[in-house]
Amino acid sequence: LGAATALVTQPYRVRGARAPGSAARQDQAWTELVARIRDETGSASGNGATGDGDVPLIQCGRSNGARVACRTARAVGAAGVIALAFPLHPPGRPEKSRAGELAAAGVPVLVVNGDRDPFGIPEKGDGTHIVVLPGENHSLTGNPAAIGEAAAAWLRALDGLFPG
């Protein structure tokens, strides 16, 4: 679609830790990272609209990274979020819903989950588009092309940011 991408390894993974730590620390690290990427690429922050030197930011994350992307979307001026395998709740604990994090993104969100995901599948909400892939679990490794197709279609429909 003509977009540039950056693959980010979460700081806790770089340190070799198995657990991500507090949400506040994760979100702070992410917002610092986005600011650095914007500084290095010369793109301005803002509401995601394009203008002179401004590149729309679409955040994407898988599982815990999807939660971080949703929680930080407004703070970093993202135009949208792609949430892969959004963990709606811990397995077997639907009463511990994380739907509030998804709803708080404040920007359009595409959620791609598998129909066999033990972390649950979010429901469609205002600004949230849900794609459920049959036969997929939380890893989403069975059909990467379907994920790409869903993301490309959603991006093309996102306020004309990625025409074509």
Side-chain angles (χ1 to χ4, degrees), residues 29-107:
W30 186 256
T31 56
E32 289 172 5
L33 177 100
V34 169
R36 183 170 178 177
I37 290 171
R38 283 192 157 137
D39 287 346
E40 290 180 8
T41 62
S43 64
S45 61
N47 64 5
T50 57
D52 292 330
D54 197 9
V55 177
L57 172 66
I58 306 296
Q59 300 199 125
C60 181
R62 194 193 77 74
S63 193
N64 181 66
R67 295 176 64 199
V68 173
C70 288
R71 288 194 309 257
T72 61
R74 285 184 195 205
V76 300
V81 172
I82 299 174
L84 305 176
F86 186 89
L88 183 60
H89 56 72
R93 308 279 311 269
E95 72 280 3
K96 293 229 174 214
S97 177
R98 299 172 181 135
E101 289 179 347
L102 187 58
V107 297

